[in-house]
Amino acid sequence: MAEAERIIGTPDIPDAARAGRDESGERAASGGNPVPEGATAPAGGSGTEGTAGPEAAQASGERPRGKRRIAVLFGVAAFAYLLDLVSKLLVVAKLEHHAPIEIIGDWLKFEAVRNAGAAFGFGEAFTVIFTVIAAAVIVVIARLARKLYSLPWAIALGLLLGGALGNLTDRIFRSPGVFEGAVVDFIAPKHFAVFNLADSAIVCGGILIVLLSFRGLDPDGTVHKD
C-alpha cells in the first residue's frame, strides 16, 4: 500500500491547506484540543471557573443575605412610641387627679402615677442614671440597625427602641426638670407595680431577644450553634 502511494503520488493541494492539515496533525499527536477557526476561548479559563451564582457564593464561604430590616425596626419603634405617647396624654388629661378606673374589678385598674425611677417604680433616686442608660440604648440600637437582616430581631429591637424613646421623652419634658422628669404610669395590676405601655414594650422586646439568643439567631440573620 505504501509502495502504491509512492508510485501514484499525492494530489496537489494548496500550501495553506497543507499547513493547516500538518498543524492539526501535530496537535492531535501531542494530545491537545484543537480550537476551530474563528472560535474564541472562554474568558476566565474553563466554563466552571467563570461561572458565578449561589453555588459559587456558597463555595467561597459567603452567606447570601436578604433585605435589611431597618424599615421594620423603625416602623415598630414608631408604632410603640406613638401608642405610648397618646396613652400618656390621655391619662394626664382624663385620669390624673381623678379616681382610678376599674377595668377588671380590683385585679386591674387604670391609675395615674408619676414615677421618677426605672420601669415598675424601681430606683427613684437614680433618675438621671436611668435617663443616660435609655439614651445609650437608643444609640446602640441605631448603630446595630446597619447590620440588621433578621425580621424577629427587627421587631424585638423596635419594641426596645420605642419603649426607651417613650420613657426618655418623659424624662426630658416632664416635671420636675430636664433629665429628671417623672414618667407617667397608669396600668395597675393587683399586687404589682404600676407601669405604662413603654415599659411593656421594653419587657416584650427583652423577652424576645432572650428567646432569639437561645435559638442561636443573630441580628444579621445567621444561625450559630454552641
Side-chain angles (χ1 to χ4, degrees):
M1 187 67 180
E3 184 66 16
E5 290 179 354
R6 184 182 65 80
I7 296 173
I8 297 173
T10 57
D12 294 334
I13 57 176
D15 294 339
R18 183 179 299 174
R21 185 186 63 182
D22 295 340
E23 183 178 357
S24 300
E26 290 176 1
R27 288 184 178 179
S30 60
N33 294 326
V35 179
E37 184 178 357
T40 57
S46 62
T48 56
E49 293 178 354
T51 304
E55 295 81 7
Q58 293 178 0
S60 62
E62 297 180 358
R63 181 186 62 81
R65 298 194 177 195
K67 296 181 180 180
R68 288 185 178 180
R69 303 298 182 176
I70 299 177
V72 177
L73 166 65
F74 289 110
V76 173
F79 178 78
Y81 175 75
L82 291 176
L83 195 63
D84 176 71
L85 181 61
V86 171
S87 65
K88 289 174 179 176
L89 292 176
L90 291 175
V91 166
V92 172
K94 302 296 183 180
L95 189 58
E96 198 168 32
H97 308 303
H98 291 78
I101 300 176
E102 294 185 353
I103 304 301
I104 307 177
D106 292 337
W107 292 97
L108 179 62
K109 298 179 181 180
F110 283 170
E111 180 181 3
V113 175
R114 296 293 182 117
N115 173 24
F120 306 111
F122 298 113
E124 294 186 3
F126 303 99
T127 306
V128 177
I129 295 177
F130 293 133
T131 304
V132 174
I133 292 175
V137 169
I138 293 171
V139 173
V140 170
I141 294 175
R143 295 189 61 181
L144 186 61
R146 296 177 299 174
K147 303 178 181 179
L148 189 61
Y149 290 88
S150 169
L151 179 60
W153 269 96
I155 296 174
L157 293 177
L159 291 172
L160 280 180
L161 181 59
L165 284 172
N167 284 338
L168 184 61
T169 301
D170 285 356
R171 304 288 188 194
I172 296 175
F173 295 105
R174 296 194 186 277
S175 60
V178 178
F179 299 120
E180 296 181 355
V183 175
V184 176
D185 292 334
F186 63 94
I187 304 174
K190 188 176 182 179
H191 305 306
F192 196 73
V194 185
F195 59 96
N196 55 41
L197 295 182
D199 297 333
S200 301
I202 292 173
V203 171
C204 292
I207 293 174
L208 184 55
I209 288 176
V210 171
L211 295 177
L212 294 174
S213 299
F214 273 116
R215 292 188 59 186
L217 181 62
D218 292 332
D220 63 355
T222 58
V223 179
H224 67 274
K225 295 181 179 181
D226 296 332

